[in-house]
Amino acid sequence: MLQSLTLSNFKNYEKCSLNFHEEFNIFHGDNGMGKTNLIDAIHLLAACKTGASNDKYAIKEDSPFARLTALLNNENSQIVAKLEKGKSKVFEWNQKPYDRLVDHIGKIPVIL
């Protein structure tokens, strides 16, 4: 289960840190505030892809990189996703990078 999420330069977020309730969470706010971007960040960490057509759109405008970090409380695990313009994305599970992203897919069940 997702315990916390930290975003750096992801879409409209320069910096954002969230802690999640273990039963349910509600995102609310005006249009264009970034609610869907939070859902997209969670999807990226689970499925290694965003809803955007290209990962470069996940990086905040005028920033060279984005970094997403999630802590899972039921496994005491950390997931890190690193996106850098012009480079392949990197995913790490407990500070160990994957050789193939497909090895990560399915570890966190998610439906978008």
Side-chain angles (χ1 to χ4, degrees), residues 1-85:
M1 181 182 341
L2 190 60
Q3 177 180 332
S4 67
L5 175 66
T6 302
L7 308 175
S8 298
N9 300 320
F10 182 77
K11 294 195 173 188
N12 68 319
Y13 291 98
E14 184 175 340
K15 294 274 186 200
C16 178
S17 293
L18 300 168
N19 292 310
F20 295 95
H21 188 273
E22 60 188 49
E23 292 183 26
F24 65 91
N25 296 274
I26 299 171
F27 301 127
H28 68 90
D30 294 333
N31 287 342
M33 298 302 295
K35 300 177 297 292
T36 303
N37 291 344
L38 291 174
I39 301 297
D40 202 21
I42 294 167
H43 184 259
L44 171 66
L45 286 165
C48 299
K49 62 181 180 176
T50 70
S53 59
N54 190 314
D55 288 337
K56 70 180 181 181
Y57 299 117
I59 300 171
K60 184 171 177 54
E61 192 174 320
D62 299 327
S63 179
F65 73 94
R67 180 183 172 104
L68 298 82
T69 304
L71 296 177
L72 305 175
N73 60 4
N74 59 344
E75 297 182 32
N76 254 351
S77 298
Q78 180 187 54
I79 305 161
V80 176
K82 301 174 185 177
L83 296 97
E84 194 170 345
K85 289 182 180 174

Side-chain angles (χ1 to χ4, degrees), residues 93-110:
W93 183 270
N94 292 330
Q95 300 178 344
K96 295 178 186 170
Y98 286 100
D99 293 326
R100 302 174 325 143
L101 294 182
V102 71
D103 295 333
H104 175 72
I105 298 170
K107 285 194 171 203
I108 304 164
V110 64

